């Protein structure tokens, strides 16, 4: 009777329950687990767990690992099952069952976080779209961050797609590489990923690799031991300070090759020692890196180690340039106008048509960061009674720089030189792909570029076979 009551309770739990005996056979697989993994209990119960999940090696079964080590696995996030080829990620913990000093079984409790994540993503998207006024100076959170996904301004399809992908991978442990031009908001995206995932309670530690001399970079990343060199003291490195959080390596492409080799070793072995030290410590943090250039071109030029690229780019995210984000330009402009209205005690609500035309035709090579600087400088010269931003208020040195780029605009089609070149490149790639029946290798050879570089350009222009 007691076992009947127990099974009745287990079957009605909202959490998935999976129990294996000491031989590794599944003896409990409840209804919540069926719903979560899209499987049937009758196909699971009685089978060895490594067979049920398709593991060729018995040692890859976490249940068997827990059985042998007697050590629980807490709050893991991973996919063990697939639905139509798509991985089903779930949050789970696995525990050993001990009786009279002997391990007699292992059980897992799994939670379906898919619905919660979807609801969270929808809430963030609504907050982004209905964010009418800025929140002022963003305070620094205890984990060292200032930004979340709700702080990303813009409603263009390309930015919404980027955010959706970033949210979906934020819960995973894989390292991430963010590729984007200067000023596109790579650190904002990195902090948002950190704050959306399970590492949110832990530190976010960032470093700009281009701002640190090579001779100091190693000690800053890995720490130092007293006496390692003149003036050296015992200090922890950024990998250690990040703990189980996130280490953000900004502008990784500026890191010298020699240092890239040391970083690769640390990421492979997941442990390191301070400079001059003998005792190693484990690396527990996730690494998010950023680059301002196409990584495939950097590898071709010998500026980026190929093996390091595959180590840091578990997932790739490409941030679009401001000129490719359509009306996001004016949504961002409005946001920065509101910020400066409050700071400068002004009442600007509109942008003159003439200034709008100038802004639309300009390339914005510095992207969002340049736009922020532009709005701030133009508002300084705006009278307190003015409600419009006008061309006349643009500082002379800024206007001159903008007009130099505008000299290349083809007034007939109202597109900049870069846009025209992009269109020509996209057209050339499409024609060559069709000519070679969408064989990527042959197309790359015909265009005189590598296969990886062609794949990058196809992603850039969103070229897909119909």
């Amino acid at each position: 009777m007691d076992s009947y009551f127990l099974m009745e309770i287990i079957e009605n739990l909202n959490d998935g329950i999976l129990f294996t005996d000491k031989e590794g056979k599944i003896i409990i697989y409840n209804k919540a687990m069926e719903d979560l993994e899209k499987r049937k209990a009758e196909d699971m119960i009685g089978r060895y767990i490594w067979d049920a999940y398709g593991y060729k090696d018995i040692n890859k079964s976490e249940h068997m690992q827990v059985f042998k080590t007697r050590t629980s696995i807490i709050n893991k996030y991973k996919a063990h099952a697939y639905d139509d080829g798509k991985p089903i990620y779930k949050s789970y913990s696995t525990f050993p069952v001990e009786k009279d000093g002997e391990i007699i079984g292992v059980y897992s409790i799994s939670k379906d976080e898919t619905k919660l994540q979807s609801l969270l993503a929808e809430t963030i998207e609504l907050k982004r779209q209905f964010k009418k006024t800025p929140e002022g100076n963003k305070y620094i959170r205890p984990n060292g961050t200032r930004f979340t996904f709700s702080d990303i301004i813009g409603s263009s399809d390309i930015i919404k797609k980027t955010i959706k992908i970033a949210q979906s991978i934020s819960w995973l442990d894989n390292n991430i590489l963010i590729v984007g031009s200067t000023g596109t908001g790579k650190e904002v995206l990195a902090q948002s990923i950190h704050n959306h995932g399970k590492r949110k309670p832990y530190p976010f530690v960032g470093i700009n690799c281009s701002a640190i001399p090579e001779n100091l970079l190693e000690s800053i990343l890995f720490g130092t031991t007293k006496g390692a060199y003149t003036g050296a003291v015992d200090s922890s490195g950024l990998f250690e300070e990040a703990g189980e959080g996130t280490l953000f390596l900004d502008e990784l492409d500026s890191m010298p090759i020699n240092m890239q080799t040391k970083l690769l070793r640390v990421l492979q072995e997941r442990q390191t020692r301070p400079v001059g030290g003998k005792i190693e410590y484990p690396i527990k943090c996730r690494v998010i890196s950023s680059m301002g250039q196409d990584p495939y071109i950097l590898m071709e030029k010998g500026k980026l180690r190929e093996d390091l690229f595959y180590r840091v780019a578990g997932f790739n995210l490409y941030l679009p340039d401001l000129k490719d984000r359509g009306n996001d330009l004016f949504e961002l402009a409005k946001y920065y106008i509101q910020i400066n209205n409050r700071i400068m005690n002004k009442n600007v609500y509109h942008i003159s048509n003439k200034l709008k035309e100038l802004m639309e035709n300009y390339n914005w090579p510095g992207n969002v960061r340049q736009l922020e600087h532009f709005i701030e400088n133009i508002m300084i010269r705006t009278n307190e009674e003015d409600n419009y931003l006008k061309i006349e208020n643009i500082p002379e040195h800024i206007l001159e720089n903008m007009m130099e780029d505008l000299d290349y605009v083809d007034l007939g089609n109202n597109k900049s030189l870069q846009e025209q070149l992009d269109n020509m490149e996209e057209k050339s790639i499409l024609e060559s792909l069709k000519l070679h029946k969408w064989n990527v290798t042959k197309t790359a050879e015909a265009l005189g570029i590598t296969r990886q570089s062609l794949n990058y350009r196809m992603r850039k222009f969103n070229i897909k076979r119909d």
Side-chain angles (χ1 to χ4, degrees):
M1 184 67 71
D2 290 344
S3 61
Y4 174 82
F5 286 146
L6 179 61
M7 289 304 301
E8 193 69 17
I9 292 170
I10 289 174
E11 281 300 311
N12 286 283
L13 289 174
N14 290 324
D15 293 339
I17 304 295
L18 170 65
F19 192 98
T20 57
D21 62 18
K22 60 183 179 180
E23 294 180 356
K25 287 185 177 179
I26 299 172
I27 58 174
I28 295 177
Y29 191 89
N30 72 345
K31 180 66 170 59
M33 203 66 172
E34 287 184 310
D35 295 338
L36 181 57
E37 294 193 332
K38 312 300 181 190
R39 296 173 177 230
K40 293 182 179 180
E42 61 193 60
D43 297 329
M44 302 294 285
I45 293 176
R47 298 180 64 186
Y48 290 107
I49 190 166
W50 52 88
D51 287 336
Y53 285 98
Y55 298 134
K56 294 181 180 179
D57 184 358
I58 184 176
N59 294 317
K60 288 187 177 180
S61 166
E62 291 183 350
H63 268 234
M64 299 312 295
Q65 291 175 20
V66 170
F67 183 84
K68 291 176 181 178
T69 64
R70 298 175 175 246
T71 303
S72 301
I73 296 174
I74 307 296
N75 292 332
K76 196 80 177 284
Y77 187 76
K78 191 176 179 181
H80 291 279
Y82 295 82
D83 183 25
D84 290 333
K86 296 180 180 179
I88 301 171
Y89 287 95
K90 61 181 184 289
S91 174
Y92 63 93
S93 295
T94 303
F95 307 91
V97 179
E98 186 174 345
K99 183 180 180 182
D100 300 329
E102 180 185 0
I103 302 298
I104 61 172
V106 177
Y107 70 97
S108 294
I109 302 175
S110 302
K111 296 180 181 292
D112 183 2
E113 296 189 346
T114 307
K115 293 180 181 178
L116 177 62
Q117 291 175 30
S118 298
L119 182 61
L120 178 59
E122 289 175 13
T123 304
I124 289 172
E125 184 59 25
L126 285 171
K127 186 177 179 182
R128 281 197 334 106
Q129 297 306 321
F130 291 96
K131 193 170 186 178
K132 300 298 182 183
T133 56
E135 299 174 0
N137 293 328
K138 296 289 294 181
Y139 67 92
I140 298 178
R141 293 175 170 80
N143 65 4
T145 65
R146 292 189 297 138
F147 301 105
T148 65
F149 283 117
S150 61
D151 296 305
I152 300 176
I153 308 299
S155 56
S156 63
D157 289 341
I158 191 169
I159 202 67
K160 287 196 288 188
K161 181 181 178 181
T162 302
I163 289 173
K164 188 174 181 180
I165 295 171
Q167 288 176 337
S168 68
I169 63 178
S170 64
W171 293 83
L172 308 179
D173 287 321
N174 306 63
N175 294 332
I176 297 172
L177 174 63
I178 302 172
V179 180
S181 305
T182 299
T184 48
K186 296 186 285 293
E187 182 162 3
V188 173
L189 186 63
Q191 289 189 17
S192 299
I193 290 170
H194 176 84
N195 283 323
H196 194 73
K198 60 183 179 181
R199 295 181 184 271
K200 180 180 178 179
Y202 304 104
F204 177 94
V205 179
I207 179 175
N208 188 317
C209 298
S210 68
I212 310 297
E214 182 180 358
N215 61 330
L216 292 179
L217 192 56
E218 183 177 4
S219 58
I220 289 174
L221 288 175
F222 310 133
T224 58
T225 300
K226 187 176 181 180
Y229 53 83
T230 304
V233 296
D234 290 330
S235 66
S236 57
L238 297 186
F239 270 102
E240 189 172 5
E241 290 179 11
E244 295 182 44
T246 300
L247 177 61
F248 177 54
L249 301 176
D250 194 13
E251 298 190 39
L252 180 65
D253 45 327
S254 67
M255 182 179 286
I257 290 292
N258 179 51
M259 192 62 211
Q260 289 183 29
T261 304
K262 294 177 181 178
L263 176 62
L264 173 65
R265 182 185 60 79
V266 170
L267 295 179
Q268 285 176 332
E269 298 177 4
R270 301 298 297 176
Q271 59 183 8
T272 188
R273 62 168 66 95
V275 176
K278 296 181 180 179
I279 301 176
E280 293 190 331
Y281 60 87
I283 301 299
K284 300 178 181 179
C285 63
R286 179 191 217 176
V287 175
I288 300 180
S289 308
S290 80
M291 294 182 186
Q293 301 178 61
D294 173 3
Y296 294 104
I297 293 176
L298 289 169
M299 284 188 283
E300 286 177 23
K301 294 180 177 179
K303 294 183 178 180
L304 175 66
R305 286 186 60 125
E306 185 173 349
D307 44 8
L308 178 62
F309 166 73
Y310 291 116
R311 184 63 61 176
V312 299
F315 289 102
N316 275 10
L317 285 172
Y318 293 85
L319 268 176
D321 288 346
L322 182 56
K323 66 182 177 62
D324 297 324
R325 290 177 54 181
N327 200 57
D328 286 0
L329 168 68
F330 294 108
E331 288 187 37
L332 284 158
K334 181 181 178 182
Y335 179 79
Y336 292 127
I337 287 171
Q338 291 172 332
I339 289 178
N340 287 288
N341 270 338
R342 186 181 62 249
I343 295 173
M344 302 179 190
N345 194 28
K346 295 188 178 180
N347 295 289
V348 175
Y349 304 106
H350 310 287
I351 300 173
S352 71
N353 290 333
K354 202 172 178 181
L355 178 56
K356 272 189 176 181
E357 186 179 358
L358 173 68
M359 291 172 69
E360 283 178 331
N361 283 311
Y362 184 57
N363 264 339
W364 300 104
N367 294 292
V368 178
R369 189 181 297 130
Q370 183 186 9
L371 176 64
E372 180 181 9
H373 176 264
F374 173 80
I375 296 296
E376 181 181 7
N377 276 270
I378 195 173
M379 285 193 67
I380 289 173
R381 296 164 64 101
T382 301
N383 295 325
E384 290 184 6
E385 64 275 9
D386 284 349
N387 299 132
Y388 278 83
L389 287 187
K390 304 171 185 176
I391 285 183
E392 293 78 13
N393 301 126
I394 302 176
E396 194 171 321
H397 68 283
I398 293 179
L399 184 59
E400 285 179 1
N401 287 332
M402 294 179 76
M403 295 307 293
E404 284 179 10
D405 282 350
L406 289 169
D407 286 341
Y408 295 103
V409 175
D410 181 346
L411 297 177
N413 61 26
N414 204 32
K415 289 185 177 179
S416 70
L417 175 62
Q418 186 60 53
E419 288 172 316
Q420 294 172 55
L421 290 173
D422 284 348
N423 288 339
M424 290 170 63
E425 184 180 9
E426 182 179 1
K427 184 179 178 182
S428 177
I429 290 172
L430 270 170
E431 288 177 350
S432 189
L433 281 165
K434 290 176 181 177
L435 180 64
H436 295 91
K437 298 180 180 180
W438 290 83
N439 185 306
V440 175
T441 301
K442 290 182 179 179
T443 302
E445 289 174 357
L447 293 172
I449 57 178
T450 64
R451 179 188 172 92
Q452 293 97 325
S453 189
L454 176 57
N455 281 325
Y456 169 77
R457 285 166 169 77
M458 289 174 69
R459 285 194 296 271
K460 175 183 176 182
F461 297 118
N462 196 27
I463 296 175
K464 297 178 181 176
R465 186 171 186 174
D466 189 347

